[in-house]
Amino acid sequence: MQDTHRQAARRLVSTLGIAVAASLLPALSPLAVQARAADSAAPRQHILLDDGWRFHAGDPDGGSAPYLYDVRPEVTASADGKVADARPEEAARVARADTPVLKPWILPSGNAFIRDPARRYQRPATEPAVDAPFAKLAFDDGSWRPVTLPHDWAIEGPFLTTGPYGGMGRLKTWGPAWYRRKLDIPAADRGRKIFLDVDGAMSYASVWVNGHLAGGWPYGYNSFRIDLTPWLQPGGANQLAIRLDNPPESARWYPGAGLYRNVWLTKTAPVHVGQWGVTVTTPEVSAESARVAWQVAVDNEGGTPASATVTTELYILDDRGRIAGKPVATAVSAPATVAAGTSGTVSGATTVSKPRLWGPPPTQTPHRYALVATVRQDGRVVDRTETPFGIRTVRFDPDRGLLVNGEHIPLRGVNNHHDLGALGAAFNVRAAERQLEIMRAMGANAVRLSHNPPDPQLLDLADRMGFLVMDEVFDSWERKKTPLDFHLIFPDWHEQDLRAMIRRDRNHPSIIIWSIGNEVGEQYTDKAGAAVAHELHRIAHEEDPTRPTTTAMNYAKSDMPLPAEVDVIGLNYQGEGIRQDPEFEGTDRIRTPPQYPLFHAKFPDKMILSTESASAFSSRGVYLFPVHPSNSSIVRDGRGGDSHSQQVSGYELYAVDFGASADKVFASLDRNPYVAGEFVWTGFDYLGEPTPYYGARSSYSGIVDLAGFPKDRYYLYQSRWRPDLPMVHVLPHWTWPERVGQVTPVHVFTSGDEAELFVNGKSQGRQKKGPTAYRLRWDAVKYEPGEITVVAYKNGKEWARDTVKTASAPAALQAQADRTALASDGRDLAFVTVRIVDKDGLPAPRAHDRVRFTVEGPADLVATDNGDATSFESFQARDRAAFNGLVLGIVRPRAGAGGTITVRADGAGLKGVAVTLLSRPATR
């Protein structure tokens, strides 16, 4: 379809048939990947390199200068701790002098993503002038630490309890680190192409093979490929070494550190499908039929021209992503001649009758297909790839919002950073799946991946589970937010990074929008900033003309040039207005009246959505008094906050200065029904950016805390996003011995339309929701021990009820695992929630007793947490204080060792508890 940036159409329709990046196997079953990849007779091998690694922090001589990617600006003072919406600054100029750097040898690694051949980089003829002993085959790494990937070395801490770096999670993520691994390359591989495929490495990766610098990639969030072939010795010993050099002052949140995503070895014939070389689209879709079109990039890295044909087969995938049955369509291309050292494209199309459409639950089903492309050279099979995809239509209507397969789907989305709480940035499929399951139960149907390309397995999960995704590439462009962030490499790498992300991800049915930036400093630079946006928009549409672009704007207004350069208007907090309280008058902070009507009037042909909404704060289970009478308030001491304890009240009325409560956001969306929906900041608490208390380790903005325990706000969103679910939630807890006779407001969230509150059986009155009321409040209730009960009604009939009782002293532990049947693959996880209760089994909501975990059987305790943003206890501690009655243990079965696992939790003066799990061999 045509680029809507250049047309006056009132709707942008995306009919992309979507797929996972071309890979041999679904990433959700790594053991199956290894099993199939190990077949040396296969035309392609895609081997997971997860074990056999050795890790060392630091460079050989204790200094990093010879290994620098490039000269960096000198940082004389920390920039950590400034407000989240501070204006980005102009880049610092750096004198290059004569410092030797590795940049000339690493830039060519991105050549495949530079469209203009004249702008591609030539590798220097000589080797870099650096002696790298850690990269050499003869180096003895026996004293180095054995690790298994994915690996985030920084999550082990210790926490930095004082000084700066609250923004980066109070965990040291910076400094050089090396990973080494032997590579077994049989003599039979001579003549094959051998690539290293890295799903993500934080950051400034340089890849060394047998002492030679093979290439690298600076951006820590993108996936990349390095051709190892020239430096390998098939039939001999081979050494792979990867050096990372994450800078300090390089992020506004916890970036993680290390080889924190999967690393693969891919072996192919010289003639093969190129990296992310399969693109599937569905330009015509109806209930009766769908036209499926594809392009297959065939690379010829041999020395002579090659004649190749591509056979394409389409299959239905089952719920687990496995091919089911016979092909629903087959096509064979005409022979194509591909010159040596070049790439050719083979195109084709077919029609699928009665297509099974991909769409978001609960009203639709995320059906998927697979395209299997088989490449033959002179009649011999030389490559085969399997590419899952989906068939669906997406329409972006400026007046109605988002339509998927013709159905209006309000965006009920959340923003999520990439860390997995106590597990850090090391990606784990089950941990990410658990997060999505918790969001799904709340009613969320969409995720914005803030503010960087995700692990590809997260997109596989979104495809399978039916989440809509906004895929985002950059948090900064040329202007800096922190002294050493991505702006340093943006001029050299923005094209490669944007094209790489889109080529990898463009076949996922879950992705509906490309975001080219978040709150970038170029919002402030008028036409110059708009020109950067225009270039990124152009690149995005060259790679994928079927999806729209957006950029998340917290400053740019409708009369500025930047919003005109993207297809969809994405507003951060501007919809409901920023800092409109009288106390901000005369300040130099961003102050913006509600902007939805102004943008809608200026851009009547563009859909509008809230790329970030709310940024509300709370600490789970903490309630502070007095309770603010309005429906939204900033946080100050005595106004929802307590700077001494560094906690924020859980009455869910409080937000960052530029944000708003959920209630205020809901009202704004209801007043402007043309807005497609929202992405709440954030679904989960995340490491770093701990506003409003920078002495803490993690954020306060999550609907769910860092351990995965829902805050009260969770049920407010559930009451709105799942209107057909009979539910009611009452807060606060009812254990307040020091508040007898004092006013203790009671608030109720319900999907019903009215409710009645009872205190010890006595009615406090029945209330009905008004037009823009999203909670029911009994603000004059005085505390007395006993119980509070709320009965919710809908259309005059009882809908749901909830009771909270006064607890006595903590007496025992209760435990529950999220799953009891696990795979013994070394990656599966069980999340064990331990609750402190009184003698009658009632939750003890103010208990902070210490709990100790022990694990018996073929499994290990890998992390613990309690959701307290102020806790500096190690995530690896077996003994941890509960936070308001809850604590979490994360257990991982050992690879290949099935059997019964017993997880015990004990505490001084508390009756212990045990949970039984069972691990079994992983099955595909």
Side-chain angles (χ1 to χ4, degrees):
M1 71 184 294
Q2 298 299 312
D3 179 352
T4 59
H5 182 60
R6 298 299 178 200
Q7 69 177 5
R10 287 182 57 81
R11 296 175 178 85
L12 180 64
V13 180
S14 171
T15 53
L16 184 63
I18 321 299
V20 173
S23 60
L24 286 176
L25 293 166
L28 294 180
S29 22
L31 287 185
V33 171
Q34 295 179 82
R36 281 178 56 178
D39 179 6
S40 61
R44 169 184 290 241
Q45 292 175 269
H46 192 54
I47 304 167
L48 182 63
L49 301 181
D50 63 342
D51 56 12
W53 291 91
R54 296 274 180 169
F55 167 77
H56 175 80
D59 282 319
D61 56 2
S64 60
Y67 306 95
L68 281 177
Y69 166 79
D70 200 0
V71 178
R72 295 169 181 162
E74 182 181 2
V75 180
T76 57
S78 175
D80 191 59
K82 58 186 178 181
V83 295
D85 65 339
R87 179 180 296 201
E89 301 168 349
E90 187 176 357
R93 298 185 180 276
V94 182
R96 302 297 175 189
D98 296 323
T99 304
V101 295
L102 302 182
K103 181 177 175 179
W105 287 267
I106 290 178
L107 280 169
S109 300
N111 278 346
F113 304 96
I114 299 175
R115 190 176 181 90
D116 181 1
R119 293 185 55 249
R120 295 172 185 162
Y121 298 95
Q122 184 69 35
R123 181 184 171 94
T126 60
E127 293 290 307
V130 54
D131 180 37
F134 285 1
K136 294 180 179 178
L137 178 64
F139 178 78
D140 182 4
D141 59 17
S143 64
W144 287 21
R145 176 182 172 185
V147 296
T148 299
L149 305 187
H151 179 240
D152 175 6
W153 58 262
I155 197 62
E156 298 177 11
F159 284 101
L160 307 172
T161 58
T162 60
Y165 301 110
M168 295 174 70
R170 300 209 163 275
L171 289 162
K172 185 181 182 295
T173 60
W174 53 92
W178 287 79
Y179 292 81
R180 284 171 51 94
R181 188 190 193 279
K182 293 289 191 298
L183 292 180
D184 180 17
I185 309 297
D189 283 337
R190 189 171 285 111
R192 302 186 84 184
K193 296 297 295 183
I194 301 178
F195 304 101
L196 187 75
D197 288 324
V198 179
D199 287 347
M202 190 63 66
S203 61
Y204 288 91
S206 56
V207 177
W208 305 73
V209 181
N210 294 330
H212 300 277
L213 179 59
W217 203 279
Y219 193 29
Y221 292 105
N222 243 343
S223 302
F224 61 92
R225 165 173 283 186
I226 303 296
D227 185 359
L228 306 184
T229 315
W231 296 279
L232 289 172
Q233 302 174 7
N238 290 276
Q239 181 64 56
L240 171 65
I242 301 177
R243 181 185 184 271
L244 304 174
D245 189 14
N246 212 25
E249 302 286 338
S250 60
R252 300 184 299 121
W253 56 84
Y254 176 74
L259 292 177
Y260 70 110
R261 295 179 183 168
N262 284 337
V263 175
W264 307 82
L265 197 68
T266 301
K267 302 179 182 182
T268 71
V271 176
H272 57 269
V273 175
Q275 181 188 19
W276 306 319
V278 176
T279 306
V280 189
T281 59
T282 55
E284 301 169 15
V285 177
S286 70
E288 296 302 314
S289 65
R291 183 168 176 79
V292 179
W294 57 85
Q295 292 184 328
V296 180
V298 178
D299 292 353
N300 179 7
E301 301 194 55
T304 59
S307 178
T309 61
V310 178
T311 299
T312 303
E313 298 168 297
L314 303 186
Y315 293 88
I316 291 173
L317 291 181
D318 65 17
D319 293 343
R320 296 182 60 188
R322 301 173 300 187
I323 286 177
K326 297 180 179 180
V328 297
T330 301
V332 181
S333 74
T337 299
V338 185
T342 68
S343 181
T345 300
V346 176
S347 302
T350 191
T351 298
V352 175
S353 298
K354 303 289 185 181
R356 295 156 52 91
L357 301 184
W358 185 98
T363 57
Q364 300 185 39
T365 304
H367 295 297
R368 289 179 296 161
Y369 291 80
L371 183 150
V372 176
T374 302
V375 180
R376 288 178 171 83
Q377 180 183 0
D378 301 324
R380 178 173 58 91
V381 173
V382 293
D383 200 6
R384 181 177 291 113
T385 63
E386 181 182 307
T387 304
F389 71 98
I391 299 173
R392 49 70 160 164
T393 65
V394 177
R395 178 180 300 167
F396 301 86
D397 190 299
D399 297 317
R400 297 179 61 195
L402 184 74
L403 289 88
V404 180
N405 299 322
E407 179 187 0
H408 177 234
I409 303 291
L411 282 169
R412 296 166 175 159
V414 297
N415 285 270
N416 269 348
H417 270 304
H418 77 306
D419 76 74
L420 295 169
L423 299 172
F427 189 81
N428 179 276
V429 171
R430 174 55 201 158
E433 182 182 47
R434 172 183 178 249
Q435 286 194 341
L436 292 177
E437 288 171 348
I438 292 170
M439 291 293 98
R440 168 63 47 78
M442 182 179 68
N445 61 9
V447 180
R448 176 181 176 225
L449 303 172
S450 45
H451 302 292
N452 44 261
D455 189 293
Q457 295 173 105
L458 181 60
L459 297 174
D460 296 340
L461 283 169
D463 289 345
R464 177 169 62 82
M465 299 175 72
F467 277 87
L468 303 168
V469 171
M470 179 185 294
D471 206 356
E472 190 158 75
V473 63
F474 303 131
D475 185 51
S476 59
W477 296 345
E478 294 177 332
R479 296 177 75 84
K480 64 181 179 181
K481 294 181 179 179
T482 62
L484 301 179
D485 65 18
F486 182 78
H487 82 278
L488 295 178
I489 54 177
F490 183 89
D492 289 335
W493 283 91
H494 66 271
E495 179 182 5
Q496 299 95 302
D497 277 310
L498 180 54
R499 292 190 192 276
M501 182 190 82
I502 294 177
R503 287 186 198 176
R504 186 196 74 172
D505 296 349
R506 61 189 166 191
N507 294 322
H508 285 277
S510 53
I511 297 172
I512 58 171
I513 298 174
W514 303 117
S515 173
I516 57 175
N518 172 68
E519 296 184 355
V520 294
E522 285 71 11
Q523 293 177 98
Y524 298 87
T525 60
D526 201 61
K527 292 182 180 178
V532 179
H534 177 80
E535 179 182 3
L536 295 173
H537 167 88
R538 174 186 58 78
I539 291 170
H541 274 282
E542 286 175 354
E543 292 296 326
D544 176 19
T546 71
R547 289 186 184 86
T549 62
T550 192
T551 185
M553 299 174 291
N554 68 325
Y555 174 78
K557 305 300 182 290
S558 60
D559 58 350
M560 296 179 179
L562 190 145
E565 297 298 333
V566 291
D567 300 313
V568 169
I569 300 298
L571 300 180
N572 285 8
Y573 313 108
Q574 293 198 71
E576 50 271 13
I578 296 174
R579 291 190 181 89
Q580 290 301 287
D581 305 81
E583 58 211 275
F584 293 114
E585 290 182 10
T587 67
D588 62 354
R589 307 305 309 132
I590 297 173
R591 298 192 70 239
T592 303
Q595 293 292 298
Y596 287 142
L598 295 174
F599 274 95
H600 191 48
K602 178 68 174 181
F603 299 104
D605 299 326
K606 294 187 178 185
M607 190 183 82
I608 299 173
L609 57 84
S610 181
T611 33
E612 286 180 28
S613 65
S615 196
F617 292 149
S618 60
S619 303
R620 177 188 51 77
V622 172
Y623 304 96
L624 303 178
F625 306 94
V627 175
H628 203 270
S630 76
N631 74 344
S632 186
S633 171
I634 60 174
V635 175
R636 298 289 187 272
D637 277 1
R639 196 170 169 181
D642 179 359
S643 57
H644 177 72
S645 67
Q646 298 188 94
Q647 303 293 359
V648 182
S649 178
Y651 272 95
E652 308 295 9
L653 295 168
Y654 307 100
V656 69
D657 287 4
F658 55 77
S661 69
D663 308 63
K664 185 176 179 180
V665 173
F666 294 163
S668 178
L669 292 172
D670 287 345
R671 284 193 297 266
N672 301 280
Y674 50 84
V675 177
E678 64 175 320
F679 290 89
V680 181
W681 191 265
T682 52
F684 282 75
D685 281 344
Y686 55 97
L687 288 167
E689 211 170 17
T691 312
Y693 302 121
Y694 252 63
R697 67 172 193 193
S698 51
S699 71
Y700 296 76
S701 58
I703 301 170
V704 175
D705 73 19
L706 198 71
F709 302 140
K711 303 177 185 178
D712 290 286
R713 200 177 342 141
Y714 182 92
Y715 303 99
L716 180 55
Y717 281 100
Q718 188 180 69
S719 71
R720 178 175 173 86
W721 288 355
R722 298 187 65 184
D724 296 328
L725 174 69
M727 60 80 60
V728 64
H729 177 76
V730 61
L731 64 106
H733 62 73
W734 210 240
T735 303
W736 300 100
E738 76 281 13
R739 295 190 63 80
V740 174
Q742 296 184 42
V743 171
T744 305
V746 175
H747 290 192
V748 169
F749 307 145
T750 180
S751 53
D753 49 38
E754 58 182 321
E756 186 172 10
L757 176 68
F758 299 87
V759 177
N760 290 329
K762 183 178 179 180
S763 175
Q764 306 298 301
R766 183 161 166 167
Q767 296 187 26
K768 192 176 183 67
K769 288 182 183 177
T772 55
Y774 307 95
R775 69 174 72 201
L776 299 171
R777 303 175 59 148
W778 285 262
D779 284 333
V781 174
K782 292 184 178 180
Y783 175 75
E784 56 184 64
E787 67 178 40
I788 53 175
T789 297
V790 61
V791 181
Y793 298 87
K794 194 165 191 175
N795 299 322
K797 297 181 180 180
E798 183 173 332
W799 180 246
R801 61 172 59 209
D802 188 20
T803 296
V804 178
K805 298 181 180 180
T806 302
S808 56
L813 302 175
Q814 294 179 348
Q816 183 175 11
D818 65 328
R819 293 152 66 247
T820 56
L822 306 172
S824 58
D825 59 4
R827 292 196 171 198
D828 203 358
L829 298 172
F831 292 81
V832 181
T833 297
V834 175
R835 182 184 300 274
I836 300 176
V837 298
D838 71 3
K839 59 182 175 56
D840 299 315
L842 295 175
R846 301 171 74 171
H848 292 80
D849 302 69
R850 299 197 68 81
V851 174
R852 180 169 182 82
F853 289 89
T854 56
V855 178
E856 300 170 2
D860 299 293
L861 180 73
V862 293
T864 61
D865 194 13
N866 59 11
D868 179 5
T870 70
S871 172
F872 292 133
E873 292 190 74
S874 168
F875 288 127
Q876 289 76 48
R878 307 180 71 85
D879 182 291
R880 174 177 293 278
F883 181 59
N884 293 324
L886 293 176
V887 65
L888 178 76
I890 306 175
V891 176
R892 180 178 60 213
R894 296 178 193 139
T900 300
I901 300 163
T902 302
V903 182
R904 300 185 185 278
D906 296 283
L910 303 174
K911 183 180 178 181
V913 68
V915 172
T916 301
L917 313 174
L918 180 64
S919 68
R920 294 172 177 167
T923 57
R924 185 162 186 263

